[in-house]
Amino acid sequence: ADAETAISAGVDKVCLTGSAETGRVVQRRLSESGIPSVMELSGCDAVHVLDGANESLVSSCVAFGLSFNNSCTCMAPRRLFVRDAVAEQFIGGICRELTARGVAEQPLSGPAAERAASAVRMALEAGAVLRLGRLGPGVGSGREQLVGPVILDRVRPDMQVARMDMFVPVLSVLRTVDEDEAVRMSAECPYALSAAVFGRTQACRRYARRLDAGCVVINDMIVPTADPRVAFGGRHRSGFGVTRGAAGLLEMTQLKTVIRARGFFRPHLERPTPVDAEVLEHLIGLEHARNPLAKLGAVWGIVRAAWKQRSFRVSLNRRVQ
């Protein structure tokens, strides 16, 4: 209600952190008056495990992400991409770490949990396998209820559970053949808020450049993005624009450009001639010349075309007089 009152009163810009659905509602409201916005929206964040990744570090980070704030955060891990050859090793490590942290199984309730339960059921019917957690009848509701945290193995990128925003501790494991397949599969999700990559630093840096995500964290997750020096924002259904960092400060400004013309050269005020396009063509050639010889040829072309321009205008002025 307070936000609606502020928008109705008139604001210069809106910065929203919220769900994708809330973002769509607010965007429709802002479009009526042309108010610009920064939208930091939902995620379905990915964890990418590369060769050489530290199993203990991956397990600790994923367990932290699934349990932090009861997994009710847009940057919680929702998809784990790992090579099929080592998938069992990492899944087992995550399950053991959750147990060691004392993350107890508990019924997940509320609208978000109901949506997640439906997606998990569809994934199971399509061939996915539960590795942790349960899906059973809810008490008194007549609906299925998740008992989590949930780890769902052998998920495919076309399954709803790997393509939706959710705020419950559900992790989908997508087994891959190699890095190329992992990048392709990751890009099939419409959300692109943040991602985490684990492995050797240089390999992670190269891999991070290939990921379509607003922020990529190497060998950690969630917490480093809180650094106020780090610009943070999503892509696609995860929103647009950034907060924090130098780019975030620019989001809070309104750009105004003032241009002062200098000198006397204003060819656009002259009468048009049949060779104007020729002059422009050579100017473009000069600007984008591949080598010094091509640049010299463009200069000579400009001189010839400019001379023809001048000759045409002189003759035109004589006829007018």
Side-chain angles (χ1 to χ4, degrees):
D2 291 340
E4 176 64 30
T5 300
I7 293 173
S8 299
V11 294
D12 293 324
K13 194 167 192 174
V14 170
C15 292
L16 171 71
T17 298
S19 69
E21 179 57 32
T22 299
R24 286 190 288 269
V25 172
V26 174
Q27 279 183 272
R28 286 193 292 268
R29 177 67 178 84
L30 296 178
S31 66
E32 298 172 3
S33 50
I35 298 175
S37 62
V38 172
M39 294 284 169
E40 182 189 318
L41 307 178
S42 301
C44 184
D45 283 6
V47 177
H48 295 262
V49 179
L50 307 187
D51 291 339
N54 184 304
E55 179 191 328
S56 176
L57 179 61
V58 172
S59 300
S60 295
C61 286
V62 173
F64 164 76
L66 286 173
S67 57
F68 175 67
N69 197 31
N70 293 321
S71 203
C72 189
T73 170
C74 55
M75 290 176 286
R78 295 289 173 247
R79 297 173 294 149
L80 177 72
F81 293 89
V82 59
R83 283 198 306 113
D84 186 49
V86 295
E88 291 295 333
Q89 169 187 338
F90 283 92
I91 294 172
I94 295 168
C95 292
R96 288 191 295 273
E97 182 64 26
L98 285 167
T99 301
R101 286 172 174 260
V103 180
E105 288 189 350
Q106 58 181 335
L108 306 177
S109 59
E114 290 179 3
R115 289 178 61 240
S118 175
V120 168
R121 166 54 62 195
M122 288 189 290
L124 292 173
E125 292 174 350
V129 179
L130 267 176
R131 300 297 300 271
L132 188 68
R134 301 194 306 276
L135 178 66
V139 178
S141 66
R143 298 175 179 174
E144 290 179 310
Q145 184 175 43
L146 280 175
V147 177
V150 172
I151 296 181
L152 196 59
D153 191 14
R154 300 192 180 278
V155 174
R156 298 191 307 273
D158 61 324
M159 293 181 179
Q160 184 182 7
V161 73
R163 300 175 56 83
M164 63 183 287
D165 59 332
M166 62 177 77
F167 294 90
V168 291
V170 174
L171 178 71
S172 296
V173 179
L174 293 90
R175 300 187 179 217
T176 66
V177 175
D178 53 27
E179 292 181 4
D180 291 339
E181 183 179 42
V183 171
R184 289 195 303 271
M185 291 168 65
S186 181
E188 291 188 35
C189 179
Y191 294 95
L193 185 59
S194 65
V197 183
F198 292 87
R200 300 181 182 92
T201 300
Q202 291 304 318
C204 287
R205 285 177 175 171
R206 290 192 296 270
Y207 189 84
R209 296 189 188 99
R210 303 176 63 190
L211 293 178
D212 188 11
C215 182
V216 180
V217 179
I218 294 175
N219 289 323
D220 204 347
M221 67 171 55
I222 300 177
V223 174
T225 66
D227 189 323
R229 297 168 296 179
V230 175
F232 186 79
R235 301 177 179 180
H236 311 305
R237 287 190 190 174
S238 292
F240 49 83
V242 298
T243 57
R244 304 195 303 271
L249 289 176
L250 288 176
E251 289 280 11
M252 306 306 292
T253 65
Q254 285 185 315
L255 182 63
K256 177 189 286 185
T257 303
V258 179
I259 302 173
R260 180 175 68 89
R262 294 183 296 179
F264 60 88
F265 184 63
R266 295 176 178 81
H268 52 283
L269 301 181
E270 299 288 344
R271 295 181 180 181
T273 76
V275 292
D276 291 346
E278 186 179 341
V279 174
L280 181 59
E281 179 183 353
H282 290 301
L283 281 170
I284 294 173
L286 177 63
E287 184 70 22
H288 301 282
R290 289 175 295 179
N291 52 58
L293 186 61
K295 191 178 290 286
L296 182 61
V299 170
W300 177 238
I302 291 172
V303 171
R304 284 184 299 151
W307 180 259
K308 286 191 283 186
Q309 263 187 335
R310 181 182 182 281
S311 299
F312 179 86
R313 286 177 178 141
V314 168
S315 64
L316 183 62
N317 289 335
R318 286 174 180 170
R319 288 198 298 270
V320 170
Q321 293 174 356

